[in-house]
Amino acid sequence: MPKVLVIGGGIVGLLTAAALKDGGADVEVFASQTGPRASDGSLVWLNVSSTHDPTYAALRAASMRFWHKSDAPVPWQGALLWPENEPATDLLTSQNCDWEAVDQTRFSELAPGVAAPPDGAIFCPGEGACDPADMLNWAEARLDVPRNQAHVVGVEPGCVTLDTGDVVHPDKIIVAAGCATPGLVAPLGAHIALKSAPGLFLRTQPVAPMATPVLASPDMDFWQGADGRMVIATGTNDVLRQDPQAAADQALSKV
């Protein structure tokens, strides 16, 4: 039975560990608990529509098929994309993803809470989203393997060094540490083009039902969970760089 060490306690790390354990491996997950959980700030919008790259679209489509078969807490409410975020519909078709061009009337039927619907949009009924905390809780509940809270500070062929000074020698090492991955594997000569994407992630208190699909507007992506909370994600902008509270107020005002 091979000993596998998985570095990272986010969605990718936890589900990889669960799959390896199901396949008969002896798995241990190393995930530091000194800060927010990995993936807590991720935008868990499961889609194919947000890429124009054919290879990435195929990967995302395969992922979607997995998630649709799982019992993960994902409401498949579909997604509405404003014209500014219009997806490559030929890619959607090539990956057997349903989509529909909608006018203002149809848009309002799908998302009656939107005050000023665009003249046209794309609706992808097979997409969905959930709060990353809910997804992480689900992934953690699936995984019955030892979890070590030591911080990994070095990765070498066949061994991992911890902040405690201990050195672990597994048969296989999987690095799924998000934005920390490039730094961990760089000493091995591996270059991973992965960088952080700072943004703003907001959760509101429960409010009356306003929107059903994921809404990908020009300014932000947001949706409403079954419990009534709005989940809002924006990218980096000048306001966010200068005054995060003002950026949060601005986003909430727009919503």
Side-chain angles (χ1 to χ4, degrees), residues 62-246:
S63 173
M64 291 273 288
R65 290 191 289 271
F66 165 81
W67 288 112
H68 269 283
K69 293 177 182 177
S70 77
D71 60 350
V74 181
W76 298 102
Q77 71 271 55
L80 273 168
L81 294 92
W82 266 248
E84 293 87 341
N85 295 330
E86 190 167 304
T89 53
D90 58 330
L91 281 187
L92 294 175
T93 300
S94 70
Q95 298 301 326
N96 298 314
C97 297
D98 293 335
W99 62 274
E100 172 189 354
V102 301
D103 57 16
Q104 276 189 330
T105 300
R106 175 64 174 147
F107 191 107
S108 293
E109 292 173 353
L110 293 165
V114 176
D119 291 334
I122 297 294
F123 178 55
C124 299
E127 298 182 355
C130 74
D131 191 305
D134 294 337
M135 183 67 87
L136 274 171
N137 291 339
W138 171 81
E140 288 177 346
R142 285 173 53 93
L143 189 60
D144 182 24
V145 301
R147 264 173 274 186
N148 195 314
Q149 295 186 12
H151 184 61
V152 175
V153 295
V155 178
E156 299 177 42
C159 70
V160 167
T161 303
L162 309 177
D163 57 356
T164 59
D166 295 326
V167 178
V168 184
H169 296 272
D171 296 307
K172 299 290 183 180
I173 302 167
I174 294 177
V175 183
C179 292
T181 299
L184 286 171
V185 301
L188 302 174
H191 173 69
I192 297 181
L194 178 66
K195 58 183 179 180
S196 63
L200 192 65
F201 196 89
L202 305 172
R203 296 179 179 90
T204 72
Q205 295 294 324
V207 296
M210 293 191 295
T212 299
V214 178
L215 300 172
S217 76
D219 298 312
M220 66 191 72
D221 301 325
F222 59 102
W223 60 90
Q224 186 171 26
D227 61 358
R229 291 180 301 166
M230 300 293 290
V231 179
I232 306 156
T234 76
T236 303
N237 55 51
D238 291 338
V239 177
L240 178 58
R241 292 188 186 96
Q242 298 168 13
D243 189 341
Q245 183 59 56

Side-chain angles (χ1 to χ4, degrees), residues 6-74:
V6 177
I7 303 171
I11 295 168
V12 172
L14 292 176
L15 293 187
T16 298
L20 288 167
K21 185 193 174 192
D22 290 344
D26 177 14
V27 185
E28 185 173 11
V29 174
F30 279 71
S32 174
Q33 298 297 314
T34 57
R37 294 180 302 176
S39 299
D40 257 330
S42 297
L43 179 62
V44 186
W45 170 17
L46 303 173
N47 71 83
V48 177
S49 61
S50 63
T51 180
H52 289 254
D53 181 89
T55 302
Y56 195 28
L59 175 64
R60 296 174 76 94
S63 173
M64 291 273 288
R65 290 191 289 271
F66 165 81
W67 288 112
H68 269 283
K69 293 177 182 177
S70 77
D71 60 350
V74 181

